[in-house]
Amino acid sequence: MGRRIILLGPPGAGKGTQAKWLVEKTGLLHLSTGDLLRDEVARRTELGMNARAFMDRGDLVPDDVIIEMIRGKIGDAEGFILDGFPRTVAQAEALARITHVDHVLYIALDREQVIARLTSRRVCRDCGWITNILSNDAATDGACRDCGGELYQRDDDRREVIENRFDVYIGATAPLIAYYGKLGILSEVDGNQSPEAVLVQILAVVEAA
Ligand code: ADP
Ligand code: ZN
C-alpha cells in the first residue's frame, strides 16, 4: 500500500472528512494545514497572528510560512495523509525536496457545489466533526453528534469569503492537477457523491499498489 498520500481538491470537496476516515482505517498520520493554522490562531502564536488576516479573507498564507510549519511535522514519517497541502506549485516543489509521494487523490467538485456545501457547513468546536445543516445528521439542535460539543460556522465559511477561496483555488491550486498528472500519481474521484462512496474509491486506489 502506498502510504504517502495527498488529498487535493477545492474547499468543501470533503478532504477533511475523508482524511479523518482514512486515518481510522490506516492509522496514518493526518496533517491538515488548515487545522494546524486554526490551532495556531486559537493559541495566539506569532504564526497564528500573522496567518489570521490571510485566512479571514480566504487568501493563502505565504508559502514560506506554510512550508516551515509542515516540514517539521512530516519529519521522517513513513506515511501520512496531507489535507490542504500542497496548495501551490511552490509548495509541491518544496514537498518533493522533503519526501516522496505515492498517491494524489483529486476530489473534484464544481463552483456551485462548493458554494452550496460551504454555506451550510458546520464544525464541532471540540472534536472537529464536520456536518451540514441540510443533512439529516445535523438534526441535533446545534450539538455535535459525536461528543455533544458546540457546532459553529467557520469564519471563512461566509459567502464572499467562500467565493474568494474558490477563485484562489482555481488560480493557485488547480495547476497541481496537471503537475501531479504528469508525475503519473494522480487519481480523480467525483466529489459529488456520498462521502461513503468517495471513501470506497479512494481506498481502491491506495490499497491497490
Ligand atoms: P478549505 O480547504 O476548506 O478551504 P482549510 O481548512 O484547508 O480550508 O484552509 C483554511 C485556510 O487556511 C485557507 O483559506 C488558507 O488561508 C489557509 N491555508 C490552509 N492550508 C494552506 C496552504 N497549504 N497554503 C496556504 N494557505 C493555507
Ligand atoms: Zn464533537
Side-chain angles (χ1 to χ4, degrees), residues 11 15 33-34 37-38 59 61 84 87 91 121 154 165:
K15 301 185 295 292
T33 43
L37 288 168
R38 280 185 289 278
D59 289 335
V61 175
R87 240 181 174 88
Q91 291 179 16
R121 175 163 77 176
R154 272 171 42 177
R165 280 159 67 203

Side-chain angles (χ1 to χ4, degrees), residues 9-16 32-38 51-63 65-67 69-70 83-88 91 118 121 154 156-157 161-162 164-166 168-169 173:
K15 301 185 295 292
S32 158
T33 43
D35 287 349
L36 291 170
L37 288 168
R38 280 185 289 278
R52 175 150 199 181
F54 295 98
M55 296 170 73
D56 284 348
R57 290 192 302 266
D59 289 335
L60 295 182
V61 175
D63 284 334
V65 175
I66 296 289
I67 292 163
M69 182 179 77
I70 200 94
D83 153 17
F85 176 88
R87 240 181 174 88
T88 63
Q91 291 179 16
L118 293 188
R121 175 163 77 176
R154 272 171 42 177
D156 59 353
D157 277 350
V161 182
I162 292 166
N164 185 44
R165 280 159 67 203
F166 191 83
V168 167
Y169 165 78
T173 309

Side-chain angles (χ1 to χ4, degrees), residues 28-199:
L28 295 176
L29 175 70
H30 176 200
L31 291 173
S32 158
T33 43
D35 287 349
L36 291 170
L37 288 168
R38 280 185 289 278
D39 182 61
E40 299 278 347
V41 170
R43 290 189 291 116
R44 302 180 158 271
T45 64
E46 196 184 335
L47 194 162
M49 304 298 233
N50 292 331
R52 175 150 199 181
F54 295 98
M55 296 170 73
D56 284 348
R57 290 192 302 266
D59 289 335
L60 295 182
V61 175
D63 284 334
D64 52 339
V65 175
I66 296 289
I67 292 163
E68 272 324 300
M69 182 179 77
I70 200 94
R71 187 195 302 278
K73 311 271 180 195
I74 292 179
D76 31 46
E78 297 260 305
F80 49 72
I81 296 164
L82 293 177
D83 153 17
F85 176 88
R87 240 181 174 88
T88 63
V89 171
Q91 291 179 16
E93 288 169 350
L95 177 64
R97 289 191 290 271
I98 297 172
T99 190
H100 159 86
V101 174
D102 295 304
H103 297 291
V104 179
L105 273 304
Y106 163 45
I107 308 176
L109 202 65
D110 71 28
R111 190 172 196 276
E112 290 319 305
Q113 293 162 341
V114 165
I115 291 171
R117 278 197 193 180
L118 293 188
T119 47
S120 53
R121 175 163 77 176
R122 298 294 182 274
V123 184
C124 174
R125 218 178 264 290
D126 295 336
C127 75
W129 184 61
I130 302 164
T131 190
N132 190 295
I133 51 173
L134 304 176
S135 82
N136 297 330
D137 275 13
T140 52
D141 288 332
C144 172
R145 192 192 54 187
D146 276 12
C147 79
E150 179 203 353
L151 296 178
Y152 79 107
Q153 180 171 37
R154 272 171 42 177
D155 291 340
D156 59 353
D157 277 350
R158 285 174 294 114
R159 190 178 183 98
E160 328 77 75
V161 182
I162 292 166
E163 287 176 353
N164 185 44
R165 280 159 67 203
F166 191 83
D167 294 343
V168 167
Y169 165 78
I170 292 297
T173 309
L176 293 178
I177 299 164
Y179 176 95
Y180 285 117
K182 279 193 201 118
L183 296 180
I185 55 174
L186 186 91
S187 304
E188 178 168 342
V189 177
D190 179 5
N192 193 27
Q193 38 178 353
S194 73
E196 290 80 8
V198 172
L199 180 67

